[in-house]
Amino acid sequence: MQAFVADDPLPDWDASGEEIDRHVEQLEAIPKPVTGEEELVSCFGSDDCYGVAGTLLHLIETGPNLVLTTDPAPEANEWRRRLYDRAVFAGLIPKP
């Protein structure tokens, strides 16, 4: 997990295939369930990175702790919003 977190956030749609593949390999090497979910939230990029951001979101959700327990700011990353909303919809966090 340290290699994934230490690398740049997920690249956007114009990244090279090699860069995306590197992130995917690092992500797939992280054992589940994860610990240190808070660190992984900082790895979301500006878009879905060809689906890799969804994989990251699901990986974070394997962890035992809720990462986002308060409503993210309106300018928060789309993926932080999704992570929070999914916890609300699952009944893990009371609706605001």
Side-chain angles (χ1 to χ4, degrees):
M1 181 170 78
Q2 296 306 325
F4 183 77
V5 172
D7 209 345
D8 294 329
L10 290 177
D12 58 15
W13 63 271
D14 63 349
S16 71
E18 289 176 352
E19 185 177 3
I20 293 170
D21 288 346
R22 183 181 74 244
H23 279 86
V24 169
E25 288 173 13
Q26 292 169 341
L27 189 60
E28 289 175 345
I30 298 172
K32 298 160 195 75
V34 296
T35 56
E37 307 91 303
E38 297 83 13
E39 292 179 79
L40 290 173
V41 172
S42 68
C43 297
F44 287 113
S46 60
D47 65 22
D48 75 342
C49 187
Y50 298 100
V52 180
T55 302
L56 175 58
L57 180 135
H58 293 297
L59 177 65
I60 291 168
E61 290 178 331
T62 69
N65 302 311
L66 291 175
V67 177
L68 301 174
T69 57
T70 58
D71 196 1
E75 67 275 1
N77 180 290
E78 165 191 2
W79 294 96
R80 288 176 178 266
R81 166 72 42 210
R82 284 188 188 193
L83 194 58
Y84 174 78
D85 287 346
R86 288 167 60 93
V88 170
F89 297 147
L92 302 173
I93 299 171
K95 285 186 176 186

